[in-house]
Amino acid sequence: MSRNSVLPQPIKQKFFSPGVIALIALAINGLVFLMGRFFFGIGAVTNLNNQYPWGLWIGVDVAAGVALAAGGFTTAALGHVMHREEYHAIVRPALLTAMLGYTFVAVGVFIDIGRWYFIWHPLMMWNGNSALFEVGICVMIYLTVLYIEFLPIVSERFIGRVNLPGPLASFNKISDKILRLLDRGLSKTMFIFLIAGVVLSTLHQSSLGTLMVIAGPKMHPLWQTPILPLLFLLSAVSVGFPMVIFESLLASRSLKLKPEMHILSRLGSMIAPLLGIYLAFKLGDMFIRETFVYLREFNTASVMFTIELVVGVIIPLRMFLSQKVLKSPPLLFTAASFVVFGVLLNRINNFIVAYTPPYATGSYFPSIGEISVTVGFIAMLVLAYRFVVLNFPIISVHDKYSAQPTKYSIKEVGK
Amino acid sequence: MPGKSRRDFLKNSIAGGIAATGISASVANAGPKNILSADRMGVLVDTTVCVGCRNCEWACKTAHNLDSGDLNSYEERKILESKRRPSEHALTVVNEYTHGKNSTLPVDVKVQCMHCDHPACVSACIVGAFSKQENGAVIWDTDMCIGCRYCMAACPFQIPAFEYNKAINPLIMKCDFCFDRTKEEKLPACVGICPTETLTYGPRTELIRIARERIKRDPSRYIDHIYGEYEVGGTAWMYLASKNFTELDFPLLSKNPAPGVSESIQHGIFAYFVPPVSLYALLGGIMWLSKRRKEMEGEEKI
């Protein structure tokens, strides 16, 4: 196929743009509040207290962060494990998103735990009964695996081109040698890491759901179910491709590239069945446990649950079944955004909305500081993404001059 | 493994894990000390006897080096008008409720960690800092704690508190059943000071016998329910009351231990690493097959 001849390459553009300046401002704002957290304690910056031990940082930065980085393992499974080479163009951007996403998950954990300097303790002190222990260890190993998976991109960029500045130049040769050695070793062993990445992801994506099971009656019955781990896994699997579409269309817009519709619409056609399975389990669980009675009440929980299910699952499910949606970038983007929003809301619901302490004297809403830090991290993530795609071969660019319009035709889709 | 310290056990399991290239069944079993000794101790709280003098609050703070103030200042009863919760500043508090059956006196309820027989915090703690000791106390190792606060999310009684306003070395705080005192055969500080014998310290089985006897002897005084006998699989601290426990703000809990479901899921997913390893093998097989198929297709084309 001619498309395979299109290789990933660094995008030739300037790093700075008005949007980038705005993102830098948001990042700095987040860092200011973050300094408050490290100098005066978690209580000084957050609305957390003895009633609500976990808030926005765990719900969004960590739980939603892990879920929305699921594009990494789902595309790895599709592209590498099932060997569907036609999807290779999206594997690298998805890998980058996952790598950056998980890095910020780790940072999110680091700032949320009270004794951050003991973050290494779970490596030495094990508790096999703890779902959190399992999540922690899996995320740590998976993050390492993601960096290993990324190494070939670094060596591809620098082999034969190592050019260290000034006095470091004498290390050029040795660095090149190390890179070549790494590259040769990794190309033979990469399959081990690729499979490990998928296994580790299924493990911790589901265990993230087990986390709140132990909270028992403190969690609203609409969400508290013994199949939480399964629901978390299914929702992570179904948000993987929408996240790739979301991020790919956003990136091509921002970097002024032609959207990779021929791949994205094929990817989109796989989302409906995945969402369908998730919806079936979610509804099935609701009917078996007869929790639909809580939907008759009108309160935050019932409203949030309904939005999560209707806007986040049912509407995009219907949209992804339509050929018109699959072929139109704006509609495809909308549908993918709904799924991303739905899973984000689901994690917020599970970790924050559903949590009802027995002796609550008030409700929890994140403080300006918490929101600033979360927004700041998202801004930093986007900046890091932009920096990497401008400097490393991540995105496959079609040659502008020889581009034939038919190349982007999506008429073959759905065959 | 009684007689073997937690750290030793951890060390061994880590060594075992490394020996098996990091993948070993010992990981699934690695965990904190969680002993349910037959002669574990407990406390029976008879809320029909408590007068709300709050001396226990003072004794507790003094025993735990917290700012306790003057004992006389505890005579002030205005504080009982609002409901309080144990916190990082007070590991136990007394709340007052309107009178129960056959009495015009208010009901006072001492609140602290219940020291569950199957503690959610012990199961949840990421580093296994919490442990259930032979004498029934649920204690934690401050040096291990990373401050993740999962114990707080897990506790069905909303007990562990956290020092949110400390930047360095914030601690999880809760009643430790005066572990350091009971080791030396002393009474827990609150039990020792209680002037009305509201608190009875003794072997848990003995306390249940005493509680039943009291209910039997004076059925007009008590409702027929020992709170903590069966709640979340049983707790070391148990309560007698003259009115329904839900009216005294006790959470309505099932007889199932709090960590039960979570632990069975966890052990199901990790049953001796069979499920993850099988998944790995399955994916490896799919990868090999799909690669082979691609190669054959390529050959056909040529």
Side-chain angles (χ1 to χ4, degrees):
Chain A
M1 283 208 285
S2 59
R3 281 171 203 140
N4 289 343
S5 61
V6 182
L7 287 171
Q9 50 190 277
I11 309 293
K12 286 180 199 73
Q13 265 184 44
K14 275 194 188 130
F15 181 72
F16 286 97
S17 76
V20 167
I21 309 279
L23 287 173
I24 291 175
L26 287 173
I28 292 173
N29 176 52
L31 288 174
V32 171
F33 281 99
L34 202 53
M35 269 159 64
R37 177 255 172 272
F38 282 106
F39 285 120
F40 306 107
I42 296 174
V45 176
T46 69
N47 279 345
L48 298 176
N49 52 40
N50 288 336
Q51 300 166 14
Y52 297 94
W54 285 356
L56 186 72
W57 291 349
I58 291 293
V60 172
D61 300 20
V62 178
V66 166
L68 298 183
F73 89 96
T74 45
T75 49
L78 184 69
H80 294 303
V81 176
M82 296 183 195
H83 242 278
R84 303 282 293 269
E85 273 160 19
E86 62 270 35
Y87 294 107
H88 273 190
I90 51 156
V91 170
R92 279 189 176 188
L95 168 64
L96 175 62
T97 325
M99 188 181 82
L100 293 175
Y102 273 92
T103 305
F104 278 90
V105 165
V107 176
V109 171
F110 180 77
I111 63 153
D112 188 80
I113 63 172
R115 294 147 69 92
W116 43 270
Y117 36 86
F118 288 149
I119 194 166
W120 51 274
H121 271 186
L123 284 174
M124 314 296 293
M125 306 164 188
W126 297 0
N127 181 8
N129 292 329
S130 168
L132 189 62
F133 171 76
E134 200 244 300
V135 172
I137 292 293
C138 272
V139 168
M140 260 190 240
I141 304 175
Y142 183 50
L143 188 55
T144 316
V145 167
L146 283 172
Y147 282 119
I148 293 172
E149 286 180 28
F150 193 77
L151 265 179
I153 302 176
V154 179
S155 49
E156 183 183 316
R157 166 74 178 76
F158 284 114
I159 281 181
R161 273 177 279 187
V162 182
N163 191 10
L164 296 166
L168 291 173
S170 51
F171 293 104
N172 280 350
K173 242 189 195 149
I174 184 98
S175 308
D176 195 65
K177 256 198 186 134
I178 292 170
L179 280 177
R180 277 173 203 274
L181 202 70
L182 267 177
D183 200 44
R184 208 163 341 126
L186 277 179
S187 64
K188 290 205 181 92
T189 50
M190 190 48 89
F191 75 97
I192 298 174
F193 297 107
L194 288 168
I195 304 176
V198 179
V199 175
L200 287 164
S201 293
T202 51
L203 288 179
H204 73 251
Q205 291 284 4
S206 53
S207 293
L208 207 57
T210 321
L211 270 194
M212 293 311 277
V213 170
I214 203 167
K218 290 162 87 177
M219 207 175 158
H220 195 283
L222 277 172
W223 288 279
Q224 180 62 286
T225 155
I227 66 156
L228 260 181
L230 183 63
L231 291 179
F232 266 54
L233 180 63
L234 292 176
S235 56
V237 169
S238 56
V239 83
F241 298 150
M243 194 61 197
V244 171
I245 293 174
F246 176 80
E247 160 241 309
S248 174
L249 288 175
L250 215 57
S252 52
R253 177 91 187 238
S254 151
L255 300 168
K256 296 176 191 71
L257 303 168
K258 195 131 197 184
E260 310 239 29
M261 284 307 285
H262 61 279
I263 301 177
L264 298 184
S265 27
R266 291 179 75 164
L267 207 55
S269 65
M270 285 186 275
I271 295 170
L274 295 174
L275 271 179
I277 297 171
Y278 172 51
L279 181 68
F281 275 92
K282 189 115 175 142
L283 291 178
D285 172 63
M286 191 164 84
F287 282 100
I288 288 169
R289 291 186 306 114
E290 296 179 0
T291 50
F292 47 81
V293 294
Y294 297 98
L295 291 177
R296 263 185 248 146
E297 300 165 15
F298 183 78
N299 52 28
T300 319
S302 63
V303 170
M304 292 294 260
F305 187 86
T306 313
I307 298 176
E308 178 198 318
L309 207 60
V310 175
V311 182
V313 186
I314 297 172
I315 292 179
L317 173 59
R318 174 68 193 86
M319 287 181 80
F320 278 117
L321 285 172
S322 142
Q323 286 297 317
K324 204 180 126 202
V325 171
L326 292 176
K327 285 173 187 173
S328 139
L331 285 176
L332 191 63
F333 183 76
T334 315
S337 310
F338 277 142
V339 184
V340 171
F341 169 77
V343 170
L344 173 70
L345 194 63
N346 173 262
R347 298 308 192 255
I348 293 176
N349 283 343
N350 271 298
F351 282 87
I352 305 173
V353 177
Y355 191 77
T356 34
Y359 302 101
T361 51
S363 57
Y364 163 84
F365 194 85
S367 69
I368 304 275
E370 284 174 275
I371 296 171
S372 297
V373 170
T374 297
V375 170
F377 279 159
I378 296 169
M380 283 184 233
L381 199 151
V382 177
L383 289 172
Y385 183 92
R386 187 179 171 90
F387 176 81
V388 176
V389 296
L390 295 190
N391 289 285
F392 288 89
I394 305 290
I395 296 182
S396 306
V397 185
H398 302 273
D399 198 337
K400 271 182 195 163
Y401 306 101
S402 66
Q404 306 136 15
T406 50
K407 214 172 189 178
Y408 306 104
S409 155
I410 43 164
K411 279 176 192 153
E412 307 159 79
V413 172
K415 260 190 191 171
Chain B
M1 27 26 344
K4 213 173 166 195
S5 89
R6 177 173 64 245
R7 281 188 189 278
D8 279 349
F9 177 62
L10 278 168
K11 245 182 250 164
N12 291 343
S13 40
I14 289 168
I18 291 163
T21 62
I23 295 173
S24 146
S26 69
V27 182
N29 303 329
K33 189 161 160 181
N34 196 353
I35 300 158
L36 210 55
S37 152
D39 38 41
R40 59 191 180 277
M41 304 300 272
V43 169
L44 180 66
V45 186
D46 191 337
T47 61
T48 65
V49 181
C50 181
V51 294
C53 71
R54 295 171 55 227
N55 282 4
C56 51
E57 291 186 21
W58 178 84
C60 174
K61 286 182 183 175
T62 312
H64 293 92
N65 300 321
L66 293 164
D67 182 16
S68 60
D70 186 21
L71 182 55
N72 292 328
S73 67
Y74 285 74
E75 282 168 23
E76 170 64 54
R77 295 192 72 89
K78 218 174 155 60
I79 198 162
L80 291 170
E81 284 169 14
S82 62
K83 300 285 176 283
R84 295 172 300 150
R85 292 291 304 163
S87 70
E88 63 274 32
H89 309 296
L91 311 183
T92 183
V93 293
V94 177
N95 285 324
E96 194 163 85
Y97 298 85
T98 52
H99 63 87
K101 60 175 184 180
N102 301 328
S103 166
T104 49
L105 292 169
V107 180
D108 292 280
V109 181
K110 178 184 182 298
V111 186
Q112 75 297 307
C113 172
M114 301 288 282
H115 298 276
C116 305
D117 284 346
H118 305 277
C121 51
V122 173
S123 168
C125 180
I126 182 169
V127 289
F130 280 89
S131 57
K132 174 83 174 170
Q133 300 289 326
E134 282 99 330
N135 72 349
V138 176
I139 60 168
W140 71 107
D141 184 342
T142 291
D143 294 335
M144 296 169 86
C145 176
I146 65 168
C148 71
R149 310 187 297 284
Y150 189 32
C151 51
M152 300 171 70
C155 177
F157 298 101
Q158 196 189 313
I159 289 297
F162 181 72
E163 297 182 305
Y164 283 100
N165 290 312
K166 269 167 78 178
I168 292 290
N169 230 19
L171 302 181
I172 287 286
M173 304 276 273
K174 76 169 191 72
C175 161
D176 62 352
F177 213 164
C178 282
F179 191 64
D180 291 334
R181 290 170 58 92
T182 51
K183 256 195 312 207
E184 299 165 8
E185 306 285 308
K186 286 195 231 164
L187 284 174
C190 52
V191 178
I193 202 167
C194 181
T196 60
E197 291 183 23
T198 299
L199 309 173
T200 314
Y201 177 74
R204 188 176 183 269
T205 44
E206 183 69 7
L207 293 176
I208 293 172
R209 200 186 54 76
I210 294 172
R212 282 199 207 293
E213 213 164 78
R214 284 195 201 170
I215 295 172
K216 204 172 149 194
R217 212 174 46 212
D218 205 346
S220 61
R221 187 185 180 102
Y222 301 101
I223 60 154
D224 189 14
H225 181 183
I226 309 167
Y227 191 95
E229 186 183 5
Y230 297 116
E231 275 78 8
V232 283
T235 58
W237 281 64
M238 292 169 293
Y239 287 77
L240 284 174
S242 57
K243 63 198 273 193
N244 207 317
F245 282 101
T246 45
E247 291 170 44
L248 300 172
D249 286 345
F250 282 83
L252 192 65
L253 296 166
S254 79
K255 290 181 180 179
N256 302 322
V261 184
S262 151
E263 282 191 10
S264 27
I265 295 173
Q266 205 50 18
H267 294 170
I269 294 176
F270 277 92
Y272 297 99
F273 282 94
V274 171
V277 170
S278 330
L279 179 61
Y280 195 100
L282 178 71
L283 290 174
I286 294 174
M287 196 174 188
W288 184 77
L289 279 176
S290 47
K291 196 171 174 187
R292 215 175 112 86
R293 199 193 57 210
K294 268 273 145 62
E295 281 167 2
M296 302 236 307
E297 272 173 21
E299 276 167 26
E300 273 167 29
K301 270 181 194 165
I302 294 163

